[in-house]
């Protein structure tokens, strides 16, 4: 049975504002997260991802109040990540209105966090978010990074994704740090390599710039395509992306 592909906008939030940069640097203001969330919910987005991109590097928790306000205006699934360090953090975000919680930096430091969270809340709630960078020192050629891509974890990205899936992560948010914000297209090799080693749903992130970028990501193995700046700055709409995917024979929601 084929599964319809999801189109997902991503809100990268820093100090209460949606921001977007290139390779996580030179961040530009893209608006209010609650307003943008409502806009995307009304525009046909299948899900929304809310990432507090400086929570881990600034060593603080995700802004629960903003998550509540965002969840209040949405009628589609909401995934929240950034600064999630404990099972209690996962619990607090789910209670605030998140449907799924993304675990990144803390999961690499303490893989048991994924196992514990998945066993307590169910694997459908746990998304392993992986910021991947090409690296000649990693066995697969790809390393997992931490702190919003600022630090190397010393772990091979593919090995980590396999482990996270075995520990109960129900989905992978796969972000190419090399492609992030470049608008040169998704890292198709990375998507294909990850698809070869795990069978859980895979969200492709990093690099979307034009309508023709989305279908190749699906062909490479993605179950969902994520974009940020092209949606925030009105270069593309959710409807346009879905129409483009349909035109290539891909089933969308």
């Amino acid at each position: 049975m084929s599964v319809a592909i999801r189109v997902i906008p991503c809100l990268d939030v820093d100090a209460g504002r949606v921001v977007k940069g290139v390779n996580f640097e030179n961040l530009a203001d893209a608006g209010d997260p609650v307003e943008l969330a409502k806009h995307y919910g009304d525009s046909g987005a299948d899900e929304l991802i809310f990432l507090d991109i400086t929570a881990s590097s600034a060593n603080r928790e995700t802004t629960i109040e903003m998550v509540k306000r965002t969840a209040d205006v949405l009628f589609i699934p909401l995934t929240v990540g950034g600064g999630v360090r404990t099972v209690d953090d996962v619990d607090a975000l789910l209670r605030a209105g998140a449907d799924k919680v993304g675990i990144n930096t803390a999961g690499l430091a303490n893989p048991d966090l994924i196992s514990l969270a998945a066993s307590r809340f169910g694997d459908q709630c746990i998304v392993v978010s992986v910021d991947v960078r090409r690296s000649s020192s990693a066995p697969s050629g790809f390393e997992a990074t931490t702190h919003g891509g600022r630090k190397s974890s010393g772990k091979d990205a593919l090995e980590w994704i396999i482990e996270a899936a075995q520990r109960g992560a129900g989905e992978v948010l796969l972000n190419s740090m090399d492609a992030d914000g470049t608008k040169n297209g998704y890292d198709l090799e990375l998507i294909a390599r990850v698809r070869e080693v795990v069978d859980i749903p895979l969200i492709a992130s990093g690099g979307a710039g034009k309508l023709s970028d989305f279908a190749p990501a699906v062909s490479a193995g993605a179950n969902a395509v994520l974009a940020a700046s092209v949606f925030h700055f009105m270069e593309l709409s959710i409807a346009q992306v879905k129409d483009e995917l349909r035109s290539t024979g891909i089933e969308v929601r």
Side-chain angles (χ1 to χ4, degrees):
M1 186 183 83
S2 67
V3 178
I5 299 301
R6 292 166 288 152
V7 178
I8 305 177
C10 181
L11 306 180
D12 292 322
V13 180
D14 180 20
R17 299 290 291 175
V18 176
V19 294
K20 196 59 209 163
V22 177
N23 306 125
F24 277 48
E25 293 178 351
N26 303 320
L27 302 176
D29 188 286
D32 175 71
V34 181
E35 285 176 17
L36 274 170
K38 185 170 187 335
H39 162 72
Y40 289 131
D42 294 342
S43 301
D46 298 305
E47 297 186 17
L48 186 74
I49 292 180
F50 177 116
L51 297 178
D52 189 330
I53 60 169
T54 52
S56 286
S57 55
N59 201 29
R60 61 175 170 74
E61 296 172 358
T62 303
T63 325
I64 290 282
E65 198 50 46
M66 186 147 286
V67 172
K68 283 181 180 165
R69 288 174 48 218
T70 303
D72 282 347
V73 300
L74 281 181
F75 300 97
I76 55 174
L78 172 66
T79 298
V80 180
V84 177
R85 294 180 189 83
T86 66
V87 172
D88 286 345
D89 291 342
V90 177
D91 184 54
L93 289 171
L94 293 172
R95 289 177 188 277
D99 299 280
K100 297 186 257 189
V101 174
I103 296 175
N104 186 338
T105 296
L108 281 156
N110 173 24
D112 285 340
L113 174 59
I114 291 177
S115 314
L116 291 166
S119 64
R120 180 164 162 193
F121 305 108
D123 55 8
Q124 78 286 347
C125 288
I126 306 304
V127 179
V128 60
S129 178
V130 192
D131 293 330
V132 180
R133 199 184 294 282
R134 287 171 183 264
S135 168
S136 57
S137 62
S140 68
F142 296 100
E143 69 170 356
T145 66
T146 65
H147 298 81
R150 291 171 178 81
K151 298 181 181 178
S152 168
S153 69
K155 285 194 181 182
D156 182 88
L158 268 63
E159 289 173 10
W160 167 235
I161 289 167
I162 292 168
E163 180 182 348
Q166 289 169 341
R167 285 178 173 274
E171 192 163 44
V172 181
L173 171 54
L174 183 68
N175 187 38
S176 165
M177 301 305 298
D178 302 303
D180 179 77
T182 62
K183 300 187 183 176
N184 292 328
Y186 294 95
D187 188 330
L188 303 179
E189 182 195 353
L190 174 61
I191 296 166
R193 294 281 297 281
V194 173
R195 175 44 73 222
E196 285 169 8
V197 297
V198 292
D199 58 7
I200 59 176
L202 176 57
I203 303 168
S205 168
K210 55 191 183 299
L211 287 175
S212 59
D213 289 337
F214 293 90
V218 175
S219 301
N223 303 93
V225 284
L226 177 149
S229 54
V230 290
F231 292 146
H232 302 337
F233 300 119
M234 311 295 176
E235 293 161 38
L236 300 175
S237 69
I238 306 283
Q240 285 176 312
V241 173
K242 289 191 172 187
D243 286 345
E244 172 72 14
L245 290 172
R246 279 191 202 98
S247 75
T248 63
I250 292 169
E251 183 186 349
V252 296
R253 290 220 176 147

